[in-house]
Amino acid sequence: MDWSEGILTIRGAKFGKSRLVPLHTSTCKVWPTTRSAGMSASAREQRGILVNLNGNRLDKGEVHRAFYLLSRQIGLRAADASRGPRLHDFRHRFAVETPVAGWYRNGEDPKRRLPILSTYLGMPT
């Protein structure tokens, strides 16, 4: 984690590639205060970034259940719906809406910029 730049590096992501995840400044302000004091960096990494109230690493099922609960609470998904937005859908939305649309709006060549997007998404170039 590069706190000064607000960039989280995920190593060994999809296709064995690394991925860069930009974090919002509000996350960078709060996150360091939630880390365990006195814990070494390697111990924090082993514990995980997304942890439950007991400080244990969240598993994939817990993350998805929390997302479904929150998406119902904020109206993204009806209370009784078995289908609706998935976490993975946000990855696709980010890929299209954030950088690519901005490149077109700014008159940049998206094809030239795709390696940058590929790094963020951890995709092969």
Side-chain angles (χ1 to χ4, degrees), residues 88-109:
H88 194 75
D89 296 332
F90 287 93
R91 174 182 166 88
H92 291 271
R93 176 131 183 147
F94 167 81
V96 173
E97 295 290 329
T98 307
V100 177
W103 295 334
Y104 278 109
R105 278 192 300 274
N106 295 333
E108 298 177 57
D109 179 9

Side-chain angles (χ1 to χ4, degrees), residues 34-124:
T34 63
R35 296 181 296 166
S36 299
M39 213 180 216
S40 71
S42 63
R44 278 194 300 272
E45 287 174 17
Q46 288 177 358
R47 184 185 80 170
I49 293 171
L50 299 174
V51 296
N52 61 21
L53 294 175
N54 297 323
N56 298 319
R57 182 185 298 251
L58 293 178
D59 68 27
K60 188 176 181 178
E62 289 174 302
V63 172
H64 282 99
R65 283 188 293 279
F67 173 74
Y68 296 143
L69 176 67
L70 290 171
S71 65
R72 285 184 174 99
Q73 288 176 354
I74 64 171
L76 276 178
R77 172 188 297 251
D80 59 347
S82 61
R83 302 191 84 121
R86 304 164 301 153
L87 278 171
H88 194 75
D89 296 332
F90 287 93
R91 174 182 166 88
H92 291 271
R93 176 131 183 147
F94 167 81
V96 173
E97 295 290 329
T98 307
V100 177
W103 295 334
Y104 278 109
R105 278 192 300 274
N106 295 333
E108 298 177 57
D109 179 9
K111 189 173 181 179
R112 278 193 57 238
R113 309 273 305 184
L114 282 178
I116 296 167
L117 179 59
S118 178
T119 300
Y120 276 116
L121 298 176
M123 302 290 290

